[in-house]
Amino acid sequence: MNPVSRVGRWIGDHLVLAGGLLVLVYLLVPNAIVVLMSFNDNSEARNVYAFQSFTLDNWLNPCKPSGLCSALGTSIQISLLATVVATIIGTMVAFALVRHRFTGRKAANVLIFLPMAAPEIVLGSSLLSLFVAVGLGGRLGFWTIFVAHVMFCLSFVVVTVKARLGGLSENLEQAAMDLYANEAQTFWKITFPLVFPGILGAALLSFSLSFDDFIITNLNAGQTVTFPMFVWGSAQRGVPMQVNVVGTLMFVIALAIVIVGEVQSRRRQNTLA
Amino acid sequence: MSQAADGSRDLTLTGVTKEYADFTAVKSLDLTVPQGEFFALLGPSGCGKTTTLRMVAGLDTPTTGSITLGDLDITYAKPYQRPVNTVFQNYALFPHLTIFENVAFGLRRKGVKNVAQPVEAMLELVELTSQARKKPTQLSGGQQQRVALARALINQPEVLLLDEPLGALDLKLRRAMQTELKRIQSEVGLTFVHVTHDQEEAMGMADTIAVMNAGVIEQMGSPVELYDNPRTAFVANFLGRSSLMAATVKEVTSEYVKANMHGTVVSIPIERAHVREGSAWVGIRPEKVLIAAAGTPIDAPGNHIEGGIVTDVNYVGVSTEYLVRMPWGQEIGAFAQNTGHQDILPVGSQVDLSWRPEFAFLLDSDEDPNAGKEEQA
Amino acid sequence: MSDVVAPRRRGPSVAAWLLLPGAIWLALFFVVPFYSLVATSLFDPNGSVLSGYEVTWHFANFSDALRDHWRPLVRSLVYAGIATSFCLVLGYLLAYAIAFKAGRWKTLLLVMVIAPFFTSFLVRTLSWKLILADNGWVVDALQAVHVLGPEDRLLATPVAVIAGLTYNFLPFMVLPLYASLEKIDLRLIEAAQDLHANPFVAFFKVTWPLSLPGVAAGTMLTFIPAAGDYINAQLLGSPNERMIGNIIQNLFTTTGDYAAAGALSVILMALILVLIMTWVRKAGAEDLV
């Protein structure tokens, strides 16, 4: 091996990995700060966003800042509802797109793609224009947010479920029919269980997208306050540290879901191997 | 068919055609598979054999024609409404179910209460008892193939369809599974319809073979019949190898057809001659051709042709495969068994060829002499 | 003979029923709103929430909006472009490391890439305020090595806004890049090296071209949200770093100038569509749709 390629190999093996890990650090430092700040006692200096001293107070009284927990409750309600609706109708669309041939299929694919390609500010202002145009300008709130969230979650659900469904051989369904399963049995015994991980993934993605959305929500919320809007509003005056408690909790819960899911799927693959 | 009336359960396809938007996969197919037979549909990829199988399984419906099982018309019956099961090409085992549940699937759908006993018996038959709790991905290819077989067989279908079931296995395993399949078929006595492009597989297992090409059946019969007496150039070339030589029919007697082949008159038994006049192709299998150095007597009475030159020698152990250029320019194959009483003839040797008349066959000159050569597996 | 019934074909009717709810939702809340946005952009600019609006085909809204707000518009595209370039470099490094150098840690590292999403976008962006604070260790360190002068700061500068954008949209770059790098058959790279290409040549002649679909997808997924974002500009920047999103948001919610806000939204969307079209055509990523 010539020296150039030996140097190249070394760079490839070590520097690339080290560089990649540094990028990961860049990605993860803010999460660490969120965890740290959840233990921060800033009762002395509310408008300074810096670590003062350690306390468990934020964790013991997460609802202390007025409005935080009601905003959180609103967000959870909207996200759950939007997730359920978007997952159901998005899964139906994915099935239509993968398992049926019809005219306009290509156009339907593009239509699904567009909301993902449009900046949130455009989606949000479009919806606001519509709501104002039909005279709902004064009645923005829970339901207009819900409608908006289903709209932008829908595309992500379709894409996620489509990917899973596309990887599923129609052979399996044919085999089930060959083995005396009628259409409904084939769907519930074979298709659905095999696509389910994709649907679950889509639902989790929807929930986090919906829960986290600010730009679209802010334009269509009226007087309703979601968790991100609470954070935004308090950012002007000084953010209560309890916000970091919520952030940390979300992080831990999501991580737990991912780990449990991963362990489950590994165990499923290795049963009695 | 009159057999249908006496309660037999022959599988019959009548005038079955399958058209797609831009081509016709199967053209007016008539076929009867007697009950209990091991039947092979043999042909190159794209010949329509898999489409035919899928129509019998109910996964496709014919454009026209009908499919019956005994006197039961199943042409448009749903796959789950017909007593037919399939072993799929890539097995199509359900990845989320255990081997046990895969095998039990059909019984459960049919509402059988106690599945444990038949499933265990079936797993025993295919020697997979110890694997019952595993998932399909944890099994080897050969094991998966046996699960697919067990999963279909347990339903005791009247017809079992096998779609290239051994295609994904390596050669050694394939030969072993062939024997296994044949054993199981004779044990359970079902009608097997086996789709394959592997002529050795078909010849080794099937009672009857239908050779398909371009949507039609070229010829149907026992392996021996097809090999010895091909009716078309496609069958002659696709099943084994053949040399086809241009000739003109001279004379037809009660036993032989005599034809002039580039100046030599050769005889073909009348039952193997599919032409009675005009130009034709004389066909001969290379292992039937005897070869000897020019002038050496060949100890067999028969059609004798002189003036060949060896252009290629391929020693394969049990035999030596020669390619001989004939005086009219065509190259003809001749396989000599290495019995030891003849030295290997080097390239460039002057040779005479000879074959017994009863081994030759005569085909219509309309046939394309190269048909089936490229498709040969 | 049993009754032979020709089968009903599973035709467009099933597909239509499956599509219907989703299609209606997207039509009502995506297509119609967009039409409504275009209509809004042509409102009589003298309308208000109280007096109502009227479509007067007032195309001057567009020129007026451009005249008043071209700076934030250009700034948005420039910031998004710079952030996307940083994302591409950093994201490629990370995706490459995960795809080819991480071995059995692959899954763990991938989880770590999406882990930031587990915490709210806004809360995480606020952490950058702490990291880049005037008395924070990043500024102190940079001042110590004289990259920053003693009075210089990071917060409320373009640097902070671009760093925030880069940080926030980096995972959108890493994931598609990883997906297309992972598909590359390692034997291709080995074959290139076997044919006397050194690792650098092998990278630029084999790996990079094969990863282009991921590059195209990643740059789009990064650039589009970055160009429309105003959270980073608001939280980490000063009024001098305001982006087009800030303006649209303000015009809608504070000023109530729907006509101008609509016009700016339409302009932003049009610019992004043009950029995507040229980019997709250039990078050959048509099959993304």
Side-chain angles (χ1 to χ4, degrees):
Chain A
M1 204 191 285
N2 66 49
V4 176
S5 70
R6 201 175 311 155
V7 169
R9 177 72 44 93
W10 193 90
I11 290 177
D13 286 350
H14 295 85
L15 274 187
V16 168
L17 191 56
L21 290 176
L22 274 180
V23 177
L24 261 187
V25 169
Y26 174 54
L27 273 175
L28 289 170
V29 159
N31 289 66
I33 303 263
V34 170
V35 177
L36 176 75
M37 293 301 271
S38 74
F39 296 104
N40 180 28
D41 181 3
N42 75 334
S43 47
E44 303 298 312
R46 279 217 58 171
N47 49 359
V48 180
Y49 201 77
F51 195 82
Q52 316 282 338
S53 61
F54 179 86
T55 179
L56 284 175
D57 217 42
N58 308 321
W59 283 89
L60 297 173
N61 305 299
C63 287
K64 200 165 138 201
S66 73
L68 191 153
C69 281
S70 71
L72 194 59
T74 308
S75 270
I76 290 173
Q77 279 178 42
I78 291 176
S79 302
L80 281 178
L81 207 57
T83 297
V84 169
V85 174
T87 305
I88 291 172
I89 65 183
T91 301
M92 289 165 66
V93 171
F95 268 90
L97 291 177
V98 176
R99 285 295 147 90
H100 295 270
R101 299 285 168 272
F102 52 90
T103 41
R105 194 160 145 271
K106 183 126 191 153
N109 271 314
V110 173
L111 181 63
I112 295 295
F113 174 78
L114 278 176
M116 294 189 292
E120 284 189 76
I121 187 80
V122 175
L123 292 178
S125 48
S126 301
L127 267 171
L128 179 59
S129 303
L130 175 73
F131 290 142
V132 169
V134 298
L136 286 171
R139 287 201 238 155
L140 298 175
F142 188 94
W143 293 105
T144 50
I145 300 173
F146 160 75
V147 155
H149 284 202
V150 172
M151 184 270 293
F152 68 73
C153 289
L154 197 55
S155 298
F156 289 92
V157 173
V158 174
V159 169
T160 312
V161 177
K162 241 176 83 179
R164 179 82 194 181
L165 196 53
L168 179 69
S169 163
E170 279 189 69
N171 241 338
L172 294 174
E173 285 153 327
Q174 292 176 348
M177 301 258 269
D178 187 63
L179 294 165
Y180 311 105
N182 61 31
E183 285 85 354
Q185 288 170 327
T186 302
F187 180 79
W188 290 112
K189 297 281 175 193
I190 303 299
T191 318
F192 187 75
L194 288 173
V195 178
F196 185 71
I199 297 176
L200 189 67
L204 290 173
L205 181 64
S206 284
F207 187 88
S208 69
L209 285 171
S210 166
F211 190 90
D212 212 17
D213 181 73
F214 174 71
I215 294 181
I216 297 174
T217 311
N218 192 32
L219 281 168
N220 294 286
Q223 300 306 310
T224 306
V225 177
T226 62
F227 177 70
M229 289 173 68
F230 174 84
V231 176
W232 180 261
S234 61
Q236 327 293 331
R237 309 183 299 274
V239 183
M241 289 301 124
Q242 280 82 350
V243 160
N244 294 301
V245 173
V246 175
T248 307
L249 265 179
M250 279 167 61
F251 184 79
V252 171
I253 292 170
L255 202 63
I257 291 175
V258 169
I259 290 171
V260 167
E262 186 64 24
V263 168
Q264 285 261 335
S265 77
R266 291 227 171 152
R267 185 174 306 158
R268 218 170 292 137
Q269 275 163 19
N270 301 335
T271 357
L272 299 170
Chain B
M1 281 276 149
S2 59
Q3 286 142 312
D6 52 52
S8 109
R9 307 290 280 170
D10 295 352
L11 172 68
T12 310
L13 281 72
T14 314
V16 169
T17 297
K18 179 66 182 178
E19 286 167 358
Y20 290 102
D22 44 354
F23 75 111
T24 305
V26 176
K27 290 171 198 153
S28 191
L29 190 79
D30 290 307
L31 185 66
T32 299
V33 180
Q35 184 182 8
E37 195 168 75
F38 199 129
F39 187 91
L41 269 174
L42 173 68
S45 61
C47 73
K49 59 187 192 301
T50 297
T51 307
T52 306
L53 184 97
R54 287 174 60 85
M55 289 190 288
V56 176
L59 301 171
D60 274 327
T61 44
T63 313
T64 57
S66 71
I67 301 170
T68 56
L69 201 55
D71 50 11
L72 181 68
D73 188 312
I74 57 168
T75 315
Y76 300 115
K78 297 274 190 186
Y80 49 85
Q81 291 164 334
R82 47 180 91 193
V84 174
N85 289 114
T86 310
V87 176
F88 285 81
Q89 185 162 15
N90 296 312
Y91 319 137
L93 300 180
F94 305 129
H96 60 306
L97 301 179
T98 60
I99 300 312
F100 184 96
E101 284 304 322
N102 263 282
V103 175
F105 192 89
L107 293 184
R108 291 202 193 278
R109 298 291 83 70
K110 287 203 280 192
V112 174
K113 287 278 176 289
N114 186 6
V115 297
Q117 211 181 342
V119 170
E120 274 155 24
M122 187 49 69
L123 286 174
E124 202 158 323
L125 179 74
V126 295
E127 295 164 8
L128 284 172
T129 310
S130 60
Q131 316 289 324
R133 302 281 148 215
K134 289 191 183 172
K135 293 282 176 67
T137 47
Q138 296 170 265
L139 266 54
S140 70
Q143 290 173 323
Q144 292 187 19
Q145 203 276 338
R146 272 151 40 206
V147 177
L149 186 63
R151 188 177 72 170
L153 275 179
I154 196 167
N155 305 295
Q156 299 177 324
E158 293 187 30
V159 179
L160 183 77
L161 306 174
L162 302 120
D163 185 5
E164 304 264 9
L166 309 177
L169 306 179
D170 64 45
L171 188 70
K172 218 170 159 187
L173 200 52
R174 195 148 74 213
R175 297 295 170 242
M177 288 306 300
Q178 275 180 27
T179 322
E180 187 87 339
L181 266 180
K182 187 70 190 160
R183 174 180 71 81
I184 290 172
Q185 196 260 344
S186 52
E187 246 166 62
V188 296
L190 302 176
T191 310
F192 273 37
V193 178
H194 180 184
V195 155
T196 180
H197 67 275
D198 180 339
Q199 45 134 335
E200 267 186 63
E201 199 175 294
M203 305 245 287
M205 287 196 282
D207 302 318
T208 306
I209 300 175
V211 179
M212 271 191 93
N213 180 34
V216 297
I217 290 181
E218 293 260 339
Q219 190 176 351
M220 194 163 99
S222 71
V224 175
E225 217 174 305
L226 289 182
Y227 189 79
D228 285 350
N229 189 7
R231 277 163 204 278
T232 67
F234 182 85
V235 175
N237 289 325
F238 188 73
L239 223 64
R241 277 193 263 178
S242 298
S243 299
L244 297 178
M245 295 154 285
T248 315
V249 175
K250 298 281 288 178
E251 189 190 344
V252 180
T253 71
S254 61
E255 283 179 47
Y256 286 97
V257 172
K258 294 193 171 174
N260 182 342
M261 191 182 80
H262 302 285
T264 309
V265 174
V266 294
S267 305
I268 297 101
I270 191 97
E271 70 276 8
R272 291 167 163 245
H274 305 295
V275 197
R276 293 287 183 271
E277 56 176 21
S279 51
W281 298 107
V282 173
I284 187 74
R285 300 279 187 190
E287 76 277 9
K288 303 293 195 318
V289 177
L290 300 172
I291 183 169
T296 320
I298 299 178
D299 62 348
N303 302 313
H304 191 81
I305 308 124
E306 296 175 353
I309 295 170
V310 174
T311 54
D312 187 52
V313 181
N314 186 16
Y315 176 81
V316 295
V318 294
S319 61
T320 306
E321 302 181 0
Y322 294 100
L323 214 51
V324 179
R325 189 193 315 281
M326 301 313 290
W328 58 89
Q330 188 177 2
E331 285 187 326
I332 287 179
F335 297 169
Q337 289 295 311
N338 289 329
T339 50
H341 68 258
Q342 184 178 305
D343 290 335
I344 291 170
L345 300 157
V347 171
S349 307
Q350 303 259 342
V351 292
D352 295 345
L353 300 182
S354 165
W355 61 78
R356 288 170 162 276
E358 63 263 37
F359 290 143
F361 49 88
L362 195 66
L363 304 177
D364 197 308
S365 64
D366 289 347
E367 294 278 329
D368 169 8
N370 293 316
K373 274 189 182 165
E374 273 177 31
E375 290 94 339
Q376 201 187 40
Chain C
M1 276 282 162
S2 58
D3 290 337
V4 177
V5 185
R8 256 182 326 135
R9 303 219 1 213
R10 277 208 314 173
S13 64
V14 180
W17 283 111
L18 287 173
L19 282 173
L20 199 63
I24 289 177
W25 206 284
L26 281 185
L28 281 185
F29 304 121
F30 175 67
V31 180
V32 175
F34 195 73
Y35 167 80
S36 173
L37 176 72
V38 175
T40 303
S41 70
L42 298 170
F43 277 167
D44 175 356
N46 297 318
S48 74
V49 186
L50 297 177
S51 62
Y53 295 97
E54 221 182 322
V55 178
T56 53
W57 301 100
H58 198 90
F59 283 103
N61 287 341
F62 286 91
S63 46
D64 291 350
L66 277 178
R67 186 195 60 222
D68 295 342
H69 306 292
W70 67 271
R71 279 172 190 282
L73 187 62
V74 171
R75 192 180 294 131
S76 293
L77 299 181
V78 171
Y79 283 8
I82 297 173
T84 304
S85 321
F86 283 140
C87 281
L88 181 57
V89 174
L90 297 178
Y92 209 103
L93 189 62
L94 180 52
Y96 190 93
I98 296 176
F100 298 130
K101 307 289 174 195
R104 60 205 187 89
W105 302 106
K106 230 179 219 184
T107 314
L108 178 72
L109 294 189
L110 276 176
V111 170
M112 287 168 81
V113 171
I114 56 163
F117 291 140
F118 298 165
T119 295
S120 179
F121 184 98
L122 278 168
V123 180
R124 281 183 290 123
T125 308
L126 279 173
S127 324
W128 280 101
K129 266 185 123 152
L130 182 80
I131 300 168
L132 302 176
D134 295 341
N135 52 354
W137 59 269
V138 175
V139 172
D140 287 348
L142 289 174
Q143 282 170 343
V145 297
H146 297 290
V147 172
L148 286 179
E151 294 306 313
D152 287 344
R153 54 191 310 217
L154 287 175
L155 218 51
T157 65
V159 176
V161 177
I162 291 169
L165 288 171
T166 307
Y167 159 77
N168 270 313
F169 300 111
L170 185 54
F172 294 109
M173 181 67 88
V174 177
L175 295 177
L177 278 178
Y178 169 77
S180 76
L181 282 172
E182 206 226 359
K183 277 191 216 135
I184 297 178
D185 189 340
L186 272 179
R187 284 172 302 178
L188 289 176
I189 299 165
E190 285 167 7
Q193 298 197 354
D194 180 59
L195 297 166
H196 309 293
N198 70 43
F200 302 104
V201 176
F203 175 81
F204 283 108
K205 293 285 177 196
V206 180
T207 314
W208 172 257
L210 287 173
S211 65
L212 276 181
V215 173
T219 43
M220 270 163 50
L221 288 176
T222 311
F223 183 84
I224 296 167
D229 181 78
Y230 62 84
I231 296 172
N232 288 283
Q234 182 83 29
L235 296 181
L236 305 176
S238 72
N240 292 329
E241 283 82 40
R242 279 199 302 183
M243 293 169 65
I244 196 66
N246 303 69
I247 307 293
I248 297 173
Q249 161 76 20
N250 276 336
L251 287 173
F252 266 121
T253 54
T254 314
T255 326
D257 189 350
Y258 282 38
L264 280 178
S265 288
V266 172
I267 292 169
L268 177 64
M269 189 68 214
L271 280 175
I272 283 176
L273 278 180
V274 169
L275 283 171
I276 291 177
M277 296 290 194
T278 29
W279 181 230
V280 165
R281 199 153 298 161
K282 210 175 154 218
E286 282 93 343
D287 52 336
L288 278 173
V289 179

